[in-house]
Amino acid sequence: MAIVNRLTVDGRDYFLPEPVTQLKQQILEAIKAGGGYVNVPPLRGGPGIDILFSPGMPVTWSQIDVGESASTDDDGDSDDEFPQI
């Protein structure tokens, strides 16, 4: 099982791997400074994306547990192999 973090910024979702403690701190510092760019890393490899964070911008965090389902359904569906997010 893995934890994926969802960062929603101004209505757009970004999915992030653990750990996010340092990223949260960078975002908070940018907002406290009156605004600033923070590089948000991708879920899997790559350069990430620079996002301008500013006071008053709607930002929310959530965590999603991703892994095998403990479902006991035997209806033949293969959907259990892919987590529903």
Side-chain angles (χ1 to χ4, degrees), residues 62-77:
S62 57
Q63 287 187 333
I64 303 166
D65 291 329
V66 180
E68 290 188 29
S69 174
S71 176
T72 58
D73 292 346
D74 284 345
D75 60 1
D77 284 346

Side-chain angles (χ1 to χ4, degrees), residues 21-38 51-55 61:
T21 306
Q22 183 177 1
L23 179 62
K24 285 182 178 182
Q25 185 63 36
Q26 291 172 349
I27 292 170
L28 183 60
E29 288 173 9
I31 292 170
K32 284 182 178 180
Y37 284 93
V38 176
I51 299 175
L52 176 61
F53 289 90
S54 58
W61 290 90

Side-chain angles (χ1 to χ4, degrees), residues 2-55:
I3 295 176
V4 175
N5 293 277
R6 180 173 63 192
L7 169 65
T8 304
V9 180
D10 204 22
R12 294 187 180 179
D13 291 331
Y14 302 92
F15 295 93
L16 311 165
E18 282 285 327
V20 293
T21 306
Q22 183 177 1
L23 179 62
K24 285 182 178 182
Q25 185 63 36
Q26 291 172 349
I27 292 170
L28 183 60
E29 288 173 9
I31 292 170
K32 284 182 178 180
Y37 284 93
V38 176
N39 185 273
V40 176
L43 185 58
R44 298 179 189 210
I49 184 169
D50 290 331
I51 299 175
L52 176 61
F53 289 90
S54 58

